[in-house]
Amino acid sequence: MGGTEEQPEQQYIDLQLRLDRQLEQIAAQLRELAGAKDRLQGLLNAVLAITRETDLPAVLHRIVTTAMELVSARYGALGVLDESGQALEQFITAGLSESERADLADIEFPRGRGVLGHLIHHPEPLRVDDIAAHSASTGFPPGHPHMRTLLGVAVSVRGTIYGDLYLSERSDGQPFDREDEDIVISLAGAAGIAIENVRLFEQVRDSAEHFQRLLLPTLPDLHPFTAAATYRPAPTPGHLGGDWYDAIWLPDNACAVVIGDVVGHDLHAAAAMAQTRNMLRALLYDHLTPPSAVLHQLDLTLDAITDLPVTTACLARIEPADRGWTLHWSTAGHLPPLLITLDRHTEYLHTEPGLPLAVNTGHHRPDQTHPLPPGAVLVFYTDGLVEHPAQSVDEGMAQLAELAAAHVGLPLQDFVNTLADHHPSDGHDDLAVLALRVPLSPDPAPPAGWGRDRPEGH
């Protein structure tokens, strides 16, 4: 009887043990599924991260760091192949400490020998548990951090191997496994697409910038003045702008300067800018009248024969005076010129801005005059130089004046480049800057052969 009573109890214990084992197996499977889900989510986040970059060096570095995160690698690198496809011309690294970088400061980056070269010549995924024991190993240079394990995967762009992604030393000390290999292969596929997208982005951006620059003039010789100008496109691909500038000598011994901005960022805006600039040149030669009258006639003409977008402009004549030069200008909704004297005093020549062109052809446009001290610099600019969503335009203009005063002693081309490189705006719009330096001594004579386009001062 006693043995019969023990049998159900033993069966219950055995059943409980089997259930416990099954529950442990289910729990392990759930953990494995959760881990796989986390890795897939990590891969998705990594792909999204690298595809957001629009600068090639940034996207290459992002590929390395995201690969390191996916497999918990201590070190990572991306070797970019040269045109021959047999050696490395660039080596982007991540994970090195400052001291490790210092130790390698005098060491030339790898050119694709040893185990790294093995992946170049045999582009199948490579997992190495002991680098030193690999048949292709040639050792490490002096000062190189110790690395034992390696995972290497080729990165292809449009069917051509672009480079190789290298990872070393998992954080848990274990060699890389097949799951690591699979997820890095997936990342490498997305990396190839991201690299190609950035290259296409750069081609479009460069083409748009080249087209825009073709529409802008080369400044003529404006002696006795010195002039310089620069244009910077917006960073968005295909983002053509309507910013423009011009400066010419006129038959009545005055120097005309204009800066303008056509609303819009497309081919229509760029074409409208070119039409406006060329028509304004013709009107300046034909109507030796105050700047306000020229702008008024420009507005009437454009309204009659074109579909011009809204355009801001500042038109100025630098005219000879008894003891030097006078600025005579009128604006069509544009920002005021900045005057910087020899003692670095800055002054914005504020006046009634008037309405932009293509708004109301009957609008009255006033003129203003201001004497130009010897050696002073006049700066004409577009709003892309000063506008920032986090601050007012007045704050941006104040920062521009401070920047200009600090660097006005530079050669004029370096000066306008400095303003364009360190402007207070957010950099999302194109910008144009034109600066004119007044001679130190009065010399109202026009340049020999005025109006002849020459490369000086550009």
Side-chain angles (χ1 to χ4, degrees):
M1 292 289 292
T4 304
E5 290 176 357
E6 290 178 1
Q7 187 173 3
E9 183 177 349
Q10 185 61 45
Q11 289 175 345
Y12 173 78
I13 293 172
D14 292 342
L15 177 60
Q16 186 66 44
L17 290 173
R18 286 197 300 272
L19 286 174
D20 289 344
R21 285 195 294 270
Q22 289 175 349
L23 287 173
E24 288 176 1
Q25 291 173 355
I26 293 172
Q29 291 172 348
L30 288 174
R31 286 193 296 271
E32 185 176 345
L33 288 172
K37 179 183 177 182
D38 289 344
R39 278 206 157 188
L40 287 174
Q41 185 61 50
L43 177 61
L44 176 61
N45 293 339
V47 170
L48 292 174
I50 63 176
T51 53
R52 290 192 191 104
E53 301 289 353
T54 57
D55 178 69
L56 187 56
V59 79
L60 297 180
H61 188 265
R62 174 77 75 168
I63 290 167
V64 178
T65 56
T66 51
M68 291 168 59
E69 292 170 3
L70 285 174
V71 297
S72 300
R74 172 69 176 83
Y75 302 103
L78 177 62
V80 179
L81 297 178
D82 61 15
E83 290 186 0
S84 72
Q86 300 301 307
L88 300 178
E89 69 172 8
Q90 193 177 358
F91 202 69
I92 298 99
T93 63
L96 294 171
S97 66
E98 289 299 323
S99 61
E100 289 171 336
R101 288 189 181 278
D103 291 340
L104 295 172
D106 297 327
I107 304 297
E108 184 182 13
F109 76 81
R111 296 293 180 178
R113 295 179 288 272
V115 179
L116 302 188
H118 178 86
L119 185 59
I120 294 174
H121 302 296
H122 304 86
E124 297 82 14
L126 176 67
R127 275 189 285 135
V128 179
D129 293 349
D130 187 354
I131 296 174
H134 193 275
S135 59
S137 177
T138 57
F140 294 106
H144 195 284
H146 174 73
M147 295 183 185
R148 183 177 59 87
T149 61
L150 179 73
L151 171 59
V153 174
V155 176
S156 297
V157 175
R158 297 177 68 87
T160 300
I161 295 178
Y162 179 84
D164 295 303
L165 181 59
Y166 306 101
L167 301 162
S168 183
E169 300 304 292
R170 261 180 35 171
S171 60
D172 61 2
Q174 297 299 310
F176 296 102
D177 56 29
R178 182 56 184 268
E179 289 184 2
D180 296 326
E181 180 182 318
D182 289 343
I183 201 163
V184 174
I185 290 173
S186 298
L187 178 67
I193 296 172
I195 292 168
E196 177 66 3
N197 286 343
V198 171
R199 288 163 66 175
L200 291 173
F201 174 97
E202 291 181 341
Q203 289 175 12
V204 172
R205 181 178 59 195
D206 292 346
S207 297
E209 180 178 349
H210 181 63
F211 176 75
Q212 182 80 8
R213 292 187 186 281
L214 288 175
L215 298 177
L216 294 171
T218 296
L219 294 183
D221 180 8
L222 298 174
H223 178 82
F225 299 99
T226 306
T230 190
Y231 169 78
R232 300 294 170 84
T236 308
H239 189 98
L240 293 175
D243 290 17
W244 97 93
Y245 55 81
D246 204 356
I248 55 174
W249 270 101
L250 299 176
D252 63 342
N253 197 18
C255 177
V257 177
V258 64
I259 191 123
D261 185 1
V262 177
V263 173
H265 299 95
D266 52 22
L267 282 171
H268 182 54
M273 175 269 287
Q275 284 182 295
T276 304
R277 186 180 69 82
N278 292 332
M279 196 170 295
L280 180 57
R281 270 199 167 192
L283 290 173
L284 283 168
Y285 272 88
D286 186 52
H287 295 77
L288 304 180
T289 51
S292 62
V294 177
L295 285 178
H296 177 67
Q297 186 59 49
L298 176 65
D299 205 5
L300 289 174
T301 306
L302 292 170
D303 180 66
I305 65 176
T306 69
D307 181 21
L308 178 73
V310 172
T311 302
T312 69
C314 177
L315 174 62
R317 284 167 51 95
I318 294 92
E319 302 167 344
D322 291 339
R323 295 184 178 180
W325 301 89
T326 295
L327 178 68
H328 190 176
W329 82 101
S330 183
T331 64
H334 203 81
L335 294 169
L338 172 63
L339 179 66
I340 310 145
T341 61
L342 271 178
D343 60 1
R344 299 180 186 262
H345 172 74
T346 60
E347 178 185 0
Y348 281 103
L349 304 181
H350 288 284
T351 184
E352 168 57 45
L355 291 177
L357 303 173
V359 174
N360 180 0
T361 57
H363 174 69
H364 172 69
R365 300 187 182 281
D367 286 284
Q368 300 291 330
T369 60
H370 194 284
L372 295 178
V377 171
L378 267 173
V379 181
F380 301 86
Y381 55 96
T382 57
D383 57 11
L385 199 68
V386 295
E387 286 190 340
H388 195 295
Q391 63 184 19
S392 68
V393 173
D394 288 342
E395 290 175 301
M397 291 171 61
Q399 293 170 19
L400 174 63
E402 184 178 349
L403 178 67
H407 297 282
V408 72
L410 293 172
L412 214 56
Q413 191 62 56
D414 294 337
F415 173 66
V416 296
N417 288 340
T418 298
L419 297 187
D421 290 338
H422 304 286
H423 56 80
S425 80
D426 62 353
H428 287 159
D429 198 4
D430 57 334
L431 60 87
V433 188
L434 188 154
L436 195 78
R437 194 185 300 274
V438 181
L440 285 170
S441 58
D443 181 8
W450 54 262
R452 179 177 59 203
D453 283 349
R454 291 152 69 182
E456 289 92 334
H458 181 55

